[in-house]
Amino acid sequence: MTNEDAKVIPVRVALRCRPLVPKEINEGCQSCLTFVPNEPQVIVGTEKAFTYDYVFDPTSEQEEVFSTAISPLLNGIFKGYHATVLAYGQTGSGKTYSMGGTYTSAQENDPSVGVIPRVIRRIFEEKEKRADSEFCLAVSYLEIYNEDILDLLSSSKDKPAISIREDPKEGIKIVGLTERQVVSAPEMVGCLELGNSVRTVGSTAMNAASSRSHAIFTITLEQRRGSDKSDSFTFLLYFPCRAPQRKSVLSICSHYSAELEQHLHIRVL
């Protein structure tokens, strides 16, 4: 790690503001935010100003969000850094849209594609450029709903609940979570689609088909150069839908914190 890398603050926060939806427009709602030109700053009302690492106004496209806030993390993955992207906000604020949590392969060339599908595409593009290395890729996908941890990639008809256990040597472990080996981008996208299709949804005042759970899509990349031992790097994509269900979420965070305590880079959307 260079001196320049060491000076990088590992946690960055991006604010993204969605446009008003038709229901809000029909009710006469108006935006109360002012965006400062060429500055990552937003003013609420007329007095309160807040500064972030990145600010994306309602006109920002998905590609801009990805290239500005997420792409640098992917560059770091192949240099040996772990990375996490966490989307947080109230119901209807656009987390699932930004992350690509309803993605299907039919949307492949759609400019509205979110973070996760773009990450998948980029990982395999970078993998092809590194002919001197061998790669092993695996994915897992879980959701946390009503304090239960559910495996979204399980082959069982029902989403089986899985458990969190503490090992005296290895720390917090998620027991029974399916991890699928993948060799191509379409195969990884298939895992994303499968998990998306069985996520828990429900109607709210803000969203007729709101995701009612926290979801974590994890990509694990092992890279081996020549006869070197494999280095395992993790890209964690986390998008909760509402206030955390404390017990399960904190236990999950403890698990991933133990694994990612070195070289952790986080982007919060």
Side-chain angles (χ1 to χ4, degrees), residues 16 40 72 81 96 101-102 138 145 148 157 175 182-183 186 190 200 205 216 227-228 232 235-236 266 269:
R16 187 178 193 187
Y81 293 96
T96 299
T102 57
Y145 180 66
D148 290 325
K157 183 177 180 180
V175 180
V182 295
V183 297
T200 303
I216 301 176
S227 59
D228 294 342
S232 179
F235 201 99
L236 183 67
I266 299 176
L269 287 174

Side-chain angles (χ1 to χ4, degrees), residues 10 82 84 253-265:
H82 297 291
T84 300
C253 289
S254 295
H255 162 74
Y256 284 110
S257 293
E259 288 197 356
L260 308 183
E261 61 183 357
Q262 292 184 338
H263 309 309
L264 177 63
H265 282 65

Side-chain angles (χ1 to χ4, degrees), residues 16 60-67 97-98 111-114 118:
R16 187 178 193 187
S60 298
E61 301 289 345
Q62 296 278 58
E63 173 59 31
E64 180 184 353
V65 174
F66 177 78
S67 61
Y97 173 80
S98 292
S112 68
V113 167
R118 292 174 187 270

